[in-house]
Coordinates of all heavy atoms in Angstrom, one line a residue:
M10 N -31.6 -1.8 -38.6 CA -32.9 -2.2 -38.1 C -33.3 -3.6 -38.7 O -33.1 -3.8 -39.9 CB -33.9 -1.1 -38.5 CG -35.3 -1.4 -38.0 SD -36.4 -0.1 -38.2 CE -36.6 0.0 -39.9
S11 N -33.8 -4.4 -37.9 CA -34.2 -5.7 -38.3 C -35.6 -5.7 -39.0 O -36.4 -4.9 -38.6 CB -34.4 -6.7 -37.1 OG -33.1 -6.8 -36.4
A12 N -35.7 -6.5 -40.0 CA -37.0 -6.5 -40.8 C -37.9 -7.4 -40.0 O -37.6 -8.5 -39.6 CB -36.7 -7.1 -42.2
R13 N -39.1 -6.9 -39.8 CA -40.1 -7.7 -39.0 C -41.0 -8.5 -40.1 O -41.7 -7.9 -40.9 CB -41.0 -6.8 -38.2 CG -42.1 -7.6 -37.4 CD -42.1 -7.2 -36.0 NE -43.0 -8.1 -35.2 CZ -42.6 -9.1 -34.5 NH1 -41.3 -9.3 -34.4 NH2 -43.4 -9.8 -33.8
I14 N -40.9 -9.8 -40.0 CA -41.7 -10.6 -40.9 C -42.3 -11.7 -40.1 O -41.8 -12.1 -39.0 CB -40.8 -11.1 -42.1 CG1 -39.6 -11.9 -41.6 CG2 -40.4 -10.0 -43.0 CD1 -38.8 -12.5 -42.7
E15 N -43.3 -12.3 -40.7 CA -44.0 -13.4 -40.0 C -43.1 -14.6 -39.7 O -43.1 -15.0 -38.6 CB -45.3 -13.8 -40.8 CG -46.4 -12.8 -40.6 CD -46.9 -12.7 -39.2 OE1 -47.0 -13.7 -38.5 OE2 -47.0 -11.5 -38.7
S16 N -42.5 -15.1 -40.7 CA -41.7 -16.3 -40.4 C -40.5 -16.2 -41.3 O -40.5 -16.3 -42.5 CB -42.5 -17.6 -40.8 OG -42.9 -17.5 -42.1
C17 N -39.4 -16.0 -40.7 CA -38.1 -16.0 -41.4 C -37.6 -17.4 -41.5 O -37.4 -18.1 -40.6 CB -37.1 -15.1 -40.6 SG -35.5 -15.1 -41.4
P18 N -37.3 -17.8 -42.8 CA -36.7 -19.1 -43.0 C -35.3 -19.3 -42.4 O -34.9 -20.4 -42.2 CB -36.7 -19.2 -44.5 CG -36.7 -17.8 -45.0 CD -37.4 -17.0 -44.0
H19 N -34.7 -18.2 -42.1 CA -33.3 -18.2 -41.6 C -33.3 -18.2 -40.1 O -32.5 -18.8 -39.4 CB -32.5 -17.1 -42.2 CG -32.6 -17.0 -43.7 ND1 -32.0 -17.9 -44.5 CD2 -33.3 -16.1 -44.4 CE1 -32.3 -17.5 -45.8 NE2 -33.1 -16.5 -45.7
C20 N -34.1 -17.4 -39.5 CA -34.0 -17.1 -38.1 C -35.0 -17.8 -37.2 O -34.8 -18.2 -36.1 CB -34.1 -15.6 -37.8 SG -33.1 -14.6 -38.9
A21 N -36.3 -18.0 -37.8 CA -37.4 -18.6 -37.0 C -37.6 -18.0 -35.7 O -37.8 -18.6 -34.7 CB -37.1 -20.1 -36.9
R22 N -37.4 -16.6 -35.6 CA -37.6 -16.0 -34.3 C -38.7 -14.9 -34.4 O -38.9 -14.1 -33.4 CB -36.3 -15.3 -33.9 CG -35.2 -16.2 -33.5 CD -34.0 -15.5 -33.2 NE -33.4 -14.9 -34.3 CZ -32.2 -14.4 -34.4 NH1 -31.4 -14.4 -33.3 NH2 -31.7 -13.8 -35.5
G23 N -39.4 -14.8 -35.5 CA -40.4 -13.8 -35.6 C -39.9 -12.5 -36.1 O -40.6 -11.6 -36.4
Y24 N -38.6 -12.4 -36.2 CA -38.0 -11.3 -36.9 C -36.7 -11.7 -37.5 O -36.2 -12.8 -37.2 CB -37.7 -10.1 -35.9 CG -36.6 -10.5 -34.9 CD1 -35.3 -10.1 -35.1 CD2 -36.9 -11.2 -33.7 CE1 -34.3 -10.4 -34.2 CE2 -35.9 -11.5 -32.8 CZ -34.6 -11.1 -33.1 OH -33.6 -11.4 -32.2
C25 N -36.2 -11.0 -38.4 CA -35.0 -11.4 -39.1 C -33.9 -10.4 -38.9 O -34.0 -9.2 -39.0 CB -35.3 -11.5 -40.6 SG -33.8 -12.1 -41.6
A26 N -32.8 -11.0 -38.4 CA -31.6 -10.1 -38.1 C -30.6 -10.1 -39.2 O -29.6 -9.5 -39.1 CB -30.9 -10.7 -36.8
L27 N -30.9 -10.8 -40.3 CA -30.0 -10.8 -41.4 C -30.0 -9.5 -42.2 O -31.1 -8.9 -42.3 CB -30.4 -11.9 -42.4 CG -30.1 -13.4 -41.9 CD1 -30.6 -14.4 -42.9 CD2 -28.7 -13.6 -41.5
M28 N -28.9 -9.1 -42.7 CA -28.8 -8.0 -43.6 C -29.6 -8.4 -44.9 O -29.6 -9.6 -45.3 CB -27.3 -7.8 -44.0 CG -27.0 -6.8 -45.1 SD -25.3 -6.9 -45.7 CE -24.5 -5.9 -44.4
R29 N -30.2 -7.4 -45.5 CA -30.9 -7.7 -46.8 C -30.4 -6.6 -47.8 O -30.2 -5.5 -47.5 CB -32.4 -7.5 -46.6 CG -33.0 -8.8 -46.0 CD -34.5 -8.6 -45.8 NE -35.0 -9.7 -45.0 CZ -35.5 -10.8 -45.6 NH1 -35.7 -10.9 -46.8 NH2 -35.9 -11.8 -44.8
I30 N -30.3 -7.1 -49.0 CA -29.9 -6.2 -50.1 C -31.1 -6.0 -51.1 O -31.9 -6.9 -51.2 CB -28.7 -6.8 -50.9 CG1 -28.9 -8.3 -51.3 CG2 -27.4 -6.6 -50.2 CD1 -27.9 -8.8 -52.2
H31 N -31.1 -4.9 -51.7 CA -32.2 -4.5 -52.6 C -31.5 -3.9 -53.8 O -30.6 -3.1 -53.7 CB -33.1 -3.5 -52.0 CG -33.6 -4.0 -50.6 ND1 -34.7 -4.7 -50.4 CD2 -33.0 -3.7 -49.4 CE1 -34.8 -5.0 -49.1 NE2 -33.8 -4.3 -48.5
V32 N -32.1 -4.2 -55.0 CA -31.7 -3.5 -56.2 C -32.8 -2.7 -56.7 O -33.9 -3.2 -56.9 CB -31.2 -4.5 -57.3 CG1 -30.9 -3.8 -58.6 CG2 -30.0 -5.3 -56.8
D33 N -32.6 -1.4 -57.0 CA -33.6 -0.5 -57.5 C -33.6 -0.7 -59.1 O -32.6 -0.2 -59.7 CB -33.3 0.9 -57.2 CG -34.4 1.9 -57.6 OD1 -35.1 1.6 -58.6 OD2 -34.6 2.9 -57.0
A34 N -34.6 -1.4 -59.6 CA -34.7 -1.7 -61.0 C -34.7 -0.4 -61.9 O -34.2 -0.4 -63.0 CB -35.9 -2.5 -61.3
D35 N -35.2 0.7 -61.3 CA -35.2 1.9 -62.1 C -33.9 2.6 -62.2 O -33.6 3.3 -63.2 CB -36.2 2.9 -61.4 CG -37.6 2.4 -61.5 OD1 -38.0 1.7 -62.5 OD2 -38.4 2.8 -60.6
K36 N -33.0 2.3 -61.3 CA -31.6 2.9 -61.3 C -30.6 2.0 -62.0 O -29.7 2.5 -62.6 CB -31.2 3.2 -59.9 CG -31.9 4.3 -59.2 CD -31.3 4.5 -57.8 CE -32.0 5.7 -57.1 NZ -31.5 5.8 -55.7
C37 N -30.8 0.7 -61.9 CA -29.8 -0.3 -62.4 C -29.7 -0.1 -63.9 O -30.7 -0.1 -64.7 CB -30.2 -1.7 -62.1 SG -29.1 -2.9 -62.8
Q38 N -28.4 0.0 -64.4 CA -28.1 0.2 -65.8 C -27.4 -1.0 -66.4 O -26.8 -1.0 -67.5 CB -27.4 1.5 -66.1 CG -28.1 2.7 -65.7 CD -29.4 2.9 -66.6 OE1 -29.3 2.8 -67.8 NE2 -30.5 3.2 -66.0
G39 N -27.3 -2.0 -65.6 CA -26.6 -3.3 -66.0 C -25.1 -3.3 -66.1 O -24.5 -4.0 -66.9
H40 N -24.5 -2.5 -65.2 CA -23.0 -2.5 -65.2 C -22.4 -3.8 -64.7 O -21.3 -4.2 -65.0 CB -22.5 -1.4 -64.3 CG -22.8 0.0 -64.8 ND1 -22.2 0.6 -65.8 CD2 -23.8 0.9 -64.4 CE1 -22.7 1.8 -66.1 NE2 -23.6 2.0 -65.2
N41 N -23.2 -4.6 -63.9 CA -22.9 -5.9 -63.5 C -21.6 -6.0 -62.6 O -21.1 -7.1 -62.4 CB -22.8 -6.9 -64.7 CG -24.1 -7.2 -65.2 OD1 -25.1 -7.3 -64.5 ND2 -24.2 -7.3 -66.6
R42 N -21.2 -4.9 -62.0 CA -20.1 -5.0 -61.0 C -20.6 -5.8 -59.8 O -19.8 -6.5 -59.2 CB -19.7 -3.6 -60.6 CG -19.1 -2.8 -61.7 CD -18.6 -1.5 -61.2 NE -18.2 -0.6 -62.3 CZ -17.8 0.6 -62.1 NH1 -17.7 1.2 -60.9 NH2 -17.4 1.3 -63.1
C43 N -21.8 -5.7 -59.5 CA -22.4 -6.4 -58.3 C -22.2 -7.9 -58.5 O -21.8 -8.7 -57.7 CB -23.8 -6.0 -58.0 SG -24.9 -6.2 -59.5
Y44 N -22.6 -8.4 -59.7 CA -22.6 -9.8 -60.0 C -21.1 -10.3 -60.1 O -20.8 -11.4 -59.6 CB -23.3 -10.0 -61.4 CG -23.2 -11.5 -61.8 CD1 -23.9 -12.4 -61.1 CD2 -22.5 -11.8 -62.9 CE1 -23.9 -13.8 -61.5 CE2 -22.4 -13.2 -63.3 CZ -23.1 -14.1 -62.6 OH -23.0 -15.4 -63.0
A45 N -20.2 -9.4 -60.6 CA -18.8 -9.8 -60.7 C -18.2 -9.9 -59.3 O -17.4 -10.8 -59.0 CB -18.0 -8.8 -61.5
L46 N -18.6 -9.1 -58.4 CA -18.1 -9.0 -57.0 C -18.7 -10.0 -56.1 O -18.1 -10.6 -55.2 CB -18.2 -7.6 -56.4 CG -17.3 -6.6 -57.0 CD1 -17.8 -5.2 -56.6 CD2 -15.9 -6.8 -56.6
A47 N -20.0 -10.3 -56.3 CA -20.7 -11.1 -55.3 C -21.8 -12.0 -56.1 O -23.0 -11.8 -55.9 CB -21.4 -10.3 -54.3
P48 N -21.3 -13.0 -56.9 CA -22.3 -13.8 -57.6 C -23.2 -14.6 -56.6 O -24.2 -15.1 -57.1 CB -21.4 -14.7 -58.5 CG -20.1 -14.7 -57.8 CD -20.0 -13.3 -57.1
E49 N -22.8 -14.7 -55.4 CA -23.6 -15.5 -54.4 C -24.9 -14.6 -54.1 O -25.9 -15.2 -53.6 CB -22.9 -15.7 -53.1 CG -21.5 -16.4 -53.3 CD -20.3 -15.5 -53.4 OE1 -20.6 -14.3 -53.8 OE2 -19.2 -15.9 -53.1
L50 N -24.8 -13.3 -54.3 CA -25.9 -12.4 -53.8 C -26.6 -11.8 -55.0 O -27.8 -11.4 -54.8 CB -25.3 -11.3 -53.0 CG -24.5 -11.7 -51.7 CD1 -23.9 -10.5 -51.1 CD2 -25.5 -12.4 -50.8
F51 N -26.0 -11.8 -56.2 CA -26.7 -11.1 -57.3 C -26.7 -12.0 -58.5 O -25.8 -12.8 -58.7 CB -25.9 -9.8 -57.7 CG -25.9 -8.8 -56.6 CD1 -24.8 -8.8 -55.7 CD2 -26.9 -7.9 -56.4 CE1 -24.8 -7.8 -54.7 CE2 -26.9 -6.9 -55.4 CZ -25.8 -6.9 -54.5
D52 N -27.8 -11.9 -59.3 CA -27.9 -12.6 -60.6 C -28.2 -11.5 -61.6 O -28.4 -10.3 -61.3 CB -29.0 -13.6 -60.5 CG -28.7 -14.7 -61.5 OD1 -27.9 -14.6 -62.4 OD2 -29.4 -15.8 -61.4
V53 N -28.3 -11.9 -62.9 CA -28.6 -11.0 -64.0 C -29.8 -11.5 -64.7 O -29.9 -12.7 -65.0 CB -27.4 -10.9 -64.9 CG1 -27.7 -10.0 -66.1 CG2 -26.1 -10.5 -64.2
D54 N -30.7 -10.6 -65.0 CA -32.0 -11.0 -65.7 C -31.7 -11.0 -67.2 O -30.6 -10.7 -67.7 CB -33.1 -10.1 -65.3 CG -33.0 -8.6 -65.7 OD1 -32.2 -8.4 -66.6 OD2 -33.8 -7.8 -65.3
D55 N -32.8 -11.2 -67.9 CA -32.7 -11.4 -69.4 C -32.3 -10.1 -70.1 O -31.8 -10.1 -71.2 CB -34.0 -11.8 -70.0 CG -34.3 -13.3 -69.6 OD1 -33.4 -14.0 -69.2 OD2 -35.5 -13.6 -69.7
Y56 N -32.4 -8.9 -69.4 CA -32.0 -7.6 -69.9 C -30.7 -7.2 -69.5 O -30.2 -6.1 -69.8 CB -33.1 -6.6 -69.5 CG -34.5 -7.0 -70.0 CD1 -35.4 -7.6 -69.2 CD2 -34.8 -6.8 -71.4 CE1 -36.6 -7.9 -69.6 CE2 -36.1 -7.1 -71.8 CZ -37.0 -7.7 -70.9 OH -38.2 -8.1 -71.4
G57 N -30.0 -8.0 -68.7 CA -28.6 -7.7 -68.2 C -28.6 -6.9 -66.9 O -27.6 -6.4 -66.5
N58 N -29.8 -6.7 -66.3 CA -29.9 -5.9 -65.1 C -29.8 -6.9 -63.9 O -30.1 -8.1 -64.0 CB -31.2 -5.1 -65.0 CG -31.2 -4.0 -66.1 OD1 -30.2 -3.5 -66.4 ND2 -32.4 -3.7 -66.6
A59 N -29.4 -6.3 -62.8 CA -29.2 -7.1 -61.6 C -30.5 -7.4 -60.9 O -31.4 -6.6 -60.8 CB -28.3 -6.4 -60.6
V60 N -30.5 -8.6 -60.3 CA -31.6 -9.0 -59.4 C -30.9 -9.7 -58.2 O -29.8 -10.2 -58.3 CB -32.6 -10.0 -60.0 CG1 -33.4 -9.3 -61.1 CG2 -31.9 -11.2 -60.6
V61 N -31.6 -9.6 -57.0 CA -31.0 -10.3 -55.9 C -31.3 -11.8 -56.0 O -32.3 -12.2 -56.5 CB -31.5 -9.7 -54.5 CG1 -31.1 -8.2 -54.4 CG2 -33.0 -9.9 -54.4
V62 N -30.4 -12.5 -55.4 CA -30.6 -14.0 -55.3 C -31.5 -14.3 -54.2 O -31.4 -13.7 -53.1 CB -29.2 -14.7 -55.1 CG1 -29.5 -16.2 -54.8 CG2 -28.4 -14.6 -56.3
G63 N -32.5 -15.1 -54.4 CA -33.5 -15.4 -53.3 C -34.3 -14.2 -52.9 O -34.7 -13.4 -53.6
D64 N -34.4 -14.1 -51.5 CA -35.1 -13.0 -51.0 C -34.2 -11.8 -50.6 O -34.7 -10.9 -49.9 CB -35.9 -13.4 -49.7 CG -35.1 -13.9 -48.6 OD1 -33.8 -13.9 -48.7 OD2 -35.6 -14.4 -47.6
G65 N -33.0 -11.9 -51.0 CA -32.0 -10.8 -50.7 C -31.4 -10.9 -49.3 O -30.6 -10.0 -49.0
S66 N -31.6 -11.9 -48.6 CA -31.0 -12.1 -47.3 C -29.5 -12.3 -47.5 O -29.1 -13.1 -48.5 CB -31.6 -13.3 -46.6 OG -32.9 -13.0 -46.3
V67 N -28.7 -11.8 -46.7 CA -27.2 -11.9 -46.8 C -26.7 -12.7 -45.6 O -26.9 -12.2 -44.4 CB -26.6 -10.5 -46.8 CG1 -25.1 -10.7 -46.9 CG2 -27.1 -9.7 -48.0
A68 N -26.1 -13.8 -45.8 CA -25.5 -14.6 -44.7 C -24.4 -13.7 -44.1 O -23.7 -13.0 -44.9 CB -25.0 -15.9 -45.2
P69 N -24.1 -13.9 -42.8 CA -23.1 -13.1 -42.2 C -21.7 -13.1 -42.9 O -21.1 -12.1 -43.0 CB -23.0 -13.7 -40.8 CG -24.4 -14.2 -40.5 CD -24.9 -14.7 -41.9
E70 N -21.4 -14.2 -43.4 CA -20.1 -14.4 -44.1 C -20.0 -13.6 -45.4 O -18.9 -13.5 -46.0 CB -19.6 -15.8 -44.2 CG -20.5 -16.6 -45.1 CD -21.7 -17.3 -44.4 OE1 -22.1 -16.8 -43.3 OE2 -22.3 -18.3 -45.0
L71 N -21.2 -13.2 -45.9 CA -21.2 -12.5 -47.2 C -21.5 -11.0 -47.0 O -21.6 -10.3 -48.0 CB -22.3 -13.1 -48.1 CG -22.0 -14.5 -48.6 CD1 -23.2 -15.1 -49.4 CD2 -20.7 -14.6 -49.4
E72 N -21.6 -10.5 -45.8 CA -21.9 -9.1 -45.6 C -20.8 -8.2 -46.2 O -21.2 -7.1 -46.7 CB -22.0 -8.8 -44.1 CG -23.3 -9.4 -43.5 CD -23.5 -9.1 -42.0 OE1 -22.6 -8.4 -41.5 OE2 -24.5 -9.5 -41.4
E73 N -19.6 -8.5 -46.1 CA -18.5 -7.7 -46.7 C -18.7 -7.6 -48.2 O -18.5 -6.5 -48.8 CB -17.2 -8.3 -46.3 CG -16.0 -7.3 -46.5 CD -16.2 -6.0 -45.6 OE1 -16.6 -6.1 -44.5 OE2 -15.9 -4.9 -46.2
K74 N -19.0 -8.7 -48.8 CA -19.2 -8.6 -50.3 C -20.4 -7.8 -50.6 O -20.4 -7.1 -51.6 CB -19.5 -10.1 -50.8 CG -18.2 -10.9 -51.0 CD -18.5 -12.1 -51.8 CE -17.2 -12.8 -52.3 NZ -17.4 -13.8 -53.2
A75 N -21.5 -7.8 -49.8 CA -22.6 -7.0 -50.0 C -22.3 -5.5 -50.0 O -22.7 -4.7 -50.8 CB -23.7 -7.3 -49.0
R76 N -21.5 -5.1 -49.0 CA -21.1 -3.7 -48.8 C -20.2 -3.3 -50.0 O -20.2 -2.2 -50.5 CB -20.3 -3.5 -47.5 CG -21.2 -3.7 -46.3 CD -20.5 -3.3 -45.0 NE -21.1 -4.0 -43.9 CZ -22.3 -3.6 -43.3 NH1 -23.0 -2.6 -43.8 NH2 -22.7 -4.3 -42.2
L77 N -19.3 -4.3 -50.5 CA -18.5 -4.0 -51.6 C -19.3 -3.7 -52.9 O -19.0 -2.8 -53.6 CB -17.5 -5.2 -51.8 CG -16.3 -5.0 -52.6 CD1 -15.4 -3.9 -52.0 CD2 -15.5 -6.3 -52.8
A78 N -20.3 -4.5 -53.0 CA -21.2 -4.3 -54.2 C -21.9 -2.9 -54.1 O -22.0 -2.2 -55.2 CB -22.3 -5.4 -54.3
V79 N -22.4 -2.6 -53.0 CA -23.0 -1.2 -52.8 C -22.0 -0.1 -53.2 O -22.3 0.8 -53.9 CB -23.5 -1.0 -51.4 CG1 -23.9 0.4 -51.1 CG2 -24.6 -2.0 -51.0
A80 N -20.8 -0.3 -52.7 CA -19.8 0.8 -52.9 C -19.3 0.8 -54.4 O -18.9 1.9 -54.8 CB -18.6 0.5 -52.0
N81 N -19.5 -0.2 -55.1 CA -19.0 -0.3 -56.5 C -20.1 -0.1 -57.6 O -19.8 -0.1 -58.7 CB -18.3 -1.6 -56.7 CG -16.9 -1.5 -56.2 OD1 -15.9 -1.0 -56.8 ND2 -16.7 -2.0 -54.9
C82 N -21.3 0.1 -57.2 CA -22.4 0.3 -58.2 C -22.4 1.8 -58.6 O -22.7 2.6 -57.8 CB -23.8 -0.1 -57.6 SG -25.1 0.3 -58.8
P83 N -22.0 2.1 -59.8 CA -22.0 3.5 -60.3 C -23.3 4.2 -60.3 O -23.4 5.4 -60.4 CB -21.3 3.4 -61.6 CG -21.6 2.0 -62.1 CD -21.7 1.1 -60.9
E84 N -24.4 3.4 -60.3 CA -25.7 4.0 -60.3 C -26.4 4.1 -59.0 O -27.5 4.6 -58.9 CB -26.6 3.2 -61.2 CG -26.1 2.9 -62.6 CD -25.9 4.2 -63.4 OE1 -26.6 5.2 -63.2 OE2 -25.0 4.2 -64.4
F85 N -25.7 3.7 -57.9 CA -26.2 3.7 -56.5 C -27.6 3.0 -56.5 O -28.5 3.4 -55.8 CB -26.4 5.2 -56.0 CG -25.1 6.0 -56.1 CD1 -24.9 6.9 -57.1 CD2 -24.1 5.8 -55.2 CE1 -23.7 7.6 -57.2 CE2 -22.9 6.5 -55.3 CZ -22.7 7.4 -56.3
A86 N -27.6 1.9 -57.2 CA -28.9 1.1 -57.3 C -29.1 0.1 -56.2 O -30.1 -0.4 -56.1 CB -28.9 0.4 -58.7
I87 N -28.0 -0.2 -55.4 CA -28.1 -1.2 -54.4 C -28.1 -0.6 -53.1 O -27.4 0.3 -52.7 CB -26.8 -2.1 -54.5 CG1 -26.7 -2.7 -55.9 CG2 -27.0 -3.3 -53.5 CD1 -25.3 -3.3 -56.1
T88 N -29.1 -1.0 -52.2 CA -29.2 -0.6 -50.9 C -29.2 -1.8 -49.9 O -29.5 -2.9 -50.3 CB -30.4 0.3 -50.6 OG1 -31.6 -0.5 -51.1 CG2 -30.3 1.6 -51.4
I89 N -28.9 -1.5 -48.7 CA -28.8 -2.5 -47.7 C -29.8 -2.1 -46.5 O -29.8 -0.9 -46.2 CB -27.4 -2.6 -47.1 CG1 -26.5 -3.3 -48.1 CG2 -27.4 -3.4 -45.8 CD1 -25.0 -3.4 -47.7
S90 N -30.5 -3.1 -46.0 CA -31.3 -2.8 -44.8 C -30.8 -3.9 -43.8 O -30.5 -5.0 -44.1 CB -32.8 -2.9 -45.1 OG -33.1 -4.2 -45.5
E91 N -30.7 -3.4 -42.6 CA -30.2 -4.3 -41.5 C -31.1 -4.2 -40.3 O -31.8 -3.3 -40.1 CB -28.8 -3.9 -41.1 CG -27.8 -4.0 -42.2 CD -26.4 -3.7 -41.8 OE1 -25.8 -4.5 -41.0 OE2 -25.9 -2.6 -42.2
Ligands
F3S25 FE1 -27.0 -2.7 -61.8 FE2 -25.3 -1.5 -60.3 FE3 -25.2 -4.1 -60.5 S1 -26.0 -0.7 -62.2 S2 -26.0 -4.5 -62.5 S3 -26.9 -2.9 -59.6 S4 -23.4 -2.7 -60.4

């Protein structure tokens, strides 16, 4: 499902068709597999927990890496919305 937002910096169509990733801060335990697999999409905060880069939008060429990060998070802390 596309996220409906006022102005997407990527699409400029009134809706965003890009995949988005989210990290649940309550679930993340800082395993950092996501960062190791996809540093373009994830960063690490001062506590060693994951945060998404930017607004979490995933460029089409990085979608596979996003799915890989989801599959490799042992805490199931990463979700994708499309
Ligand atoms: Fe956290 Fe999972 Fe990444 S536990 S640091 S979101 S691999």
Side-chain angles (χ1 to χ4, degrees):
M10 182 169 69
S11 299
R13 178 130 187 103
I14 55 178
E15 281 301 313
S16 60
C17 174
H19 310 285
C20 309
R22 290 181 290 195
Y24 69 96
C25 183
L27 290 179
M28 170 191 283
R29 283 179 188 262
I30 48 172
H31 311 270
V32 174
D33 185 332
D35 292 332
K36 291 182 180 176
C37 177
Q38 296 295 313
H40 294 285
N41 288 322
R42 292 183 188 177
C43 54
Y44 178 68
L46 290 166
E49 306 92 336
L50 300 173
F51 299 92
D52 204 348
V53 179
D54 68 14
D55 292 343
Y56 301 99
N58 294 328
V60 293
V61 297
V62 171
D64 63 2
S66 297
V67 179
E70 64 270 20
L71 293 175
E72 288 183 0
E73 197 57 42
K74 281 192 167 191
R76 294 187 203 286
L77 199 59
V79 170
N81 281 276
C82 176
E84 306 297 336
F85 305 103
I87 306 167
T88 54
I89 287 175
S90 60
E91 300 185 68

